[in-house]
Amino acid sequence: MEQIPLLDFRKTRFLTSAPDIKHLPADLGTEIAFAGRSNSGKSSALNAICDQNHLAKTSRTPGRTRLINLFQVKPGCTLVDLPGYGYAAVSDSMKRQWQRSMSDYLQKRQALRGIVVTMDIRHPLKDHDRLIIDWSLAANLPALLLLTKADKLGVTARRESMAEVKLQLSEFGGNFTVICFSAWKKIGLEETRGVLSNWFQTLHRGDDAEAAE
């Protein structure tokens, strides 16, 4: 089997932010979206993957990601940081606005080819996480589940948590990739980069093949 080389995520740069899909760039190329609860370490995971401390904004106050943020890994390959869900102490109207922008992006964005769901390894598979997983199945998109903050548990507890998550995922009937991840201790970092590189390059090749037909 051909070995797909890793993309150099260190070259990732901020592209743009938008409050909704109407203000996003042209719906072209390949996008992989990161979704997760506002306290799941989503932005920290993005920063670790790209080896840049301040690429995606992090905060001591969960829920500060209020826009759809795009980061270009290379031309045509983009990581997307979606607004966090389920935690932020903001008004109901703001939460509804976030929910609309997320739903529109997930349902209508043709460039979206894969989704990463970040979940605190100590509190995985909450209701909103399950909704995103259900949606990825319905849309026939690959899903990578990052069990973040894995450094908070010992090795045995990590294995037990992953086994429990995989058991619960069996009820969905799909095939998922599950990785224990820690932005702080770099646990699961290279494995995650490998999955994302594979997605970008195989899915992007698919775009090229379609364009050539």
Side-chain angles (χ1 to χ4, degrees):
M1 176 181 287
E2 180 185 357
Q3 183 68 35
I4 295 177
L6 284 177
L7 294 180
D8 188 354
F9 287 94
R10 292 171 299 178
K11 294 182 178 179
T12 302
R13 64 181 183 85
F14 173 74
L15 200 58
T16 190
S17 294
D20 51 52
I21 63 170
K22 291 182 293 186
H23 294 88
L24 288 175
D27 196 355
L28 301 169
T30 302
E31 295 178 357
I32 297 174
F34 278 64
R37 288 175 63 83
S38 298
N39 56 344
S40 66
K42 176 167 54 68
S43 296
S44 295
L46 271 164
N47 286 337
I49 291 164
C50 299
D51 196 22
Q52 299 182 43
N53 291 333
H54 305 293
L55 183 68
K57 292 182 179 179
T58 61
S59 172
R60 293 183 182 276
T61 305
R64 293 302 294 275
T65 303
R66 302 184 180 188
L67 300 171
I68 301 172
N69 297 304
L70 276 63
F71 305 95
Q72 180 180 280
V73 180
K74 69 175 189 176
C77 294
T78 305
L79 296 173
V80 181
D81 188 10
L82 295 174
Y85 50 77
Y87 184 92
V90 297
S91 68
D92 288 342
S93 62
M94 178 64 76
K95 287 182 181 178
R96 285 193 295 271
Q97 180 182 326
W98 292 355
Q99 189 170 6
R100 277 196 303 273
S101 64
M102 270 193 65
S103 296
D104 283 348
Y105 175 82
L106 292 172
Q107 294 175 27
K108 299 176 182 177
R109 188 73 171 171
Q110 296 300 308
L112 177 62
R113 297 302 180 89
I115 190 158
V116 180
V117 184
T118 57
M119 302 182 291
D120 188 323
I121 193 170
R122 300 163 297 178
H123 313 288
L125 294 174
K126 298 294 187 182
D127 288 347
H128 279 85
D129 302 327
R130 290 174 177 272
L131 285 173
I132 296 291
I133 292 167
D134 267 335
W135 178 85
S136 71
L137 280 172
N140 197 30
L141 289 177
L144 168 60
L145 310 185
L146 289 188
L147 302 182
T148 60
K149 308 184 184 183
D151 56 287
K152 303 293 185 182
L153 299 180
V155 175
T156 301
R158 271 182 234 151
R159 288 200 198 102
E160 291 173 349
S161 181
M162 176 180 274
E164 178 61 26
V165 166
K166 288 182 175 180
L167 179 63
Q168 292 188 47
L169 286 173
S170 63
E171 72 189 55
F172 290 91
N175 292 316
F176 305 97
T177 303
V178 184
I179 297 176
C180 289
F181 187 91
S182 168
W184 177 248
K185 294 291 187 180
K186 313 302 182 190
I187 297 167
L189 184 56
E190 288 307 313
E191 188 179 358
T192 301
R193 286 173 176 159
V195 171
L196 296 178
S197 289
N198 191 336
W199 284 6
F200 269 131
Q201 297 183 82
T202 57
L203 296 173
H204 200 58
R205 286 175 183 174
D207 287 343
D208 294 341
E210 289 173 12
E213 289 179 359

